[in-house]
Amino acid sequence: MTTSDANAPWLIAGLGNPGPGYAMNRHNVGFMVADLLAERMGGTFKRSGKAQAQVVEGRIGAPGPAGRRVVLAKPMSYMNLSGGPVTALRDFYKVPTANIVAIHDELDIDYGTLRLKLGGGDNGHNGLKSMTKAMGPGYHRVRFGIGRPPGRMPVADFVLKDFSSAERKELDYFVDRAADAVECLVTEGLERAQSAYNS
């Protein structure tokens, strides 16, 4: 199966850690974008019987059958084990790897900046590392910039801290824009999405 198979569904995985203690962490921005996409699709996340994940099934794009079939997922395995649930969902829903999108936080990009790409390395991101180990690197990434930690703060502490009050003032706008970028990627392709949203 290739992306030219118009009937193949897309699997969009927002990466994060389960549980209320992590909900507003920088590392959980993938969950935040996934939640907004689910709201736009009119769906509610439910625990999957096929994988350690919560899923919403629906369509993105034009209403009715013209829209793209989408499985929206939040792995419930903790970030560093994301590959297992995503691979199980890929296999169950018969999704080509090139139709998989990971939404994740990115340290090497300024806060709120987006970068979309297909394939590439994991840049030390444990969620991507797990996904690449499970299925290879040929999936899409929507990288949401969170910037580097201040001073000598360890990276692990920084990503597991909540967004600052200053960052939270713009967070809804940036999450909304990231959801727009995912929809554009699925409905119009990577090149169009990159030219519209890569900044």
Side-chain angles (χ1 to χ4, degrees):
M1 248 188 316
T2 68
T3 46
S4 62
D5 181 355
N7 296 317
W10 284 74
L11 172 57
I12 300 168
L15 302 188
N17 287 308
Y22 296 101
M24 288 305 294
N25 287 182
R26 292 181 177 93
H27 222 18
N28 268 44
V29 75
F31 275 16
M32 297 173 199
V33 177
D35 285 338
L36 179 56
L37 286 166
E39 193 180 305
R40 290 181 180 185
M41 286 163 58
T44 306
F45 277 103
K46 295 182 174 68
R47 189 163 283 282
S48 167
K50 308 301 172 188
Q52 193 179 354
Q54 292 183 351
V55 298
V56 174
E57 294 180 54
R59 291 184 182 272
I60 281 179
R68 298 285 187 154
R69 284 174 56 215
V70 164
V71 179
L72 195 54
K74 296 194 294 186
M76 293 284 117
S77 56
Y78 289 98
M79 181 69 85
N80 61 348
L81 298 171
S82 300
V86 175
T87 304
L89 292 170
R90 176 199 68 178
D91 293 348
F92 177 73
Y93 289 102
K94 298 181 171 52
V95 180
T97 302
N99 277 26
I100 296 173
V101 183
I103 311 167
H104 64 92
D105 57 304
E106 178 62 67
L107 285 159
D108 286 336
I109 304 175
D110 290 341
Y111 173 61
T113 300
L114 294 176
R115 293 271 196 284
L116 287 78
K117 69 174 189 172
L118 175 63
D122 56 57
N123 207 19
H125 191 286
N126 287 331
L128 297 184
K129 204 174 285 186
S130 176
M131 283 182 61
T132 299
K133 185 177 178 186
M135 66 179 74
Y139 54 91
H140 288 87
R141 300 102 192 275
V142 174
R143 304 155 73 206
F144 186 110
I146 60 168
R148 301 293 303 184
R152 296 172 179 269
M153 183 189 289
V155 163
D157 292 349
F158 179 70
V159 299
L160 292 175
K161 281 197 183 311
D162 288 358
F163 284 103
S164 70
S165 55
E167 288 170 333
R168 279 201 296 272
K169 288 176 184 167
E170 294 183 292
L171 183 59
D172 286 350
Y173 168 76
F174 289 138
V175 167
D176 193 67
R177 192 165 180 273
D180 290 346
V182 173
E183 291 180 343
C184 183
L185 169 62
V186 169
T187 58
E188 300 186 52
L190 178 61
E191 201 172 305
R192 181 71 185 269
Q194 285 175 325
S195 66
Y197 295 98
N198 278 15
S199 41

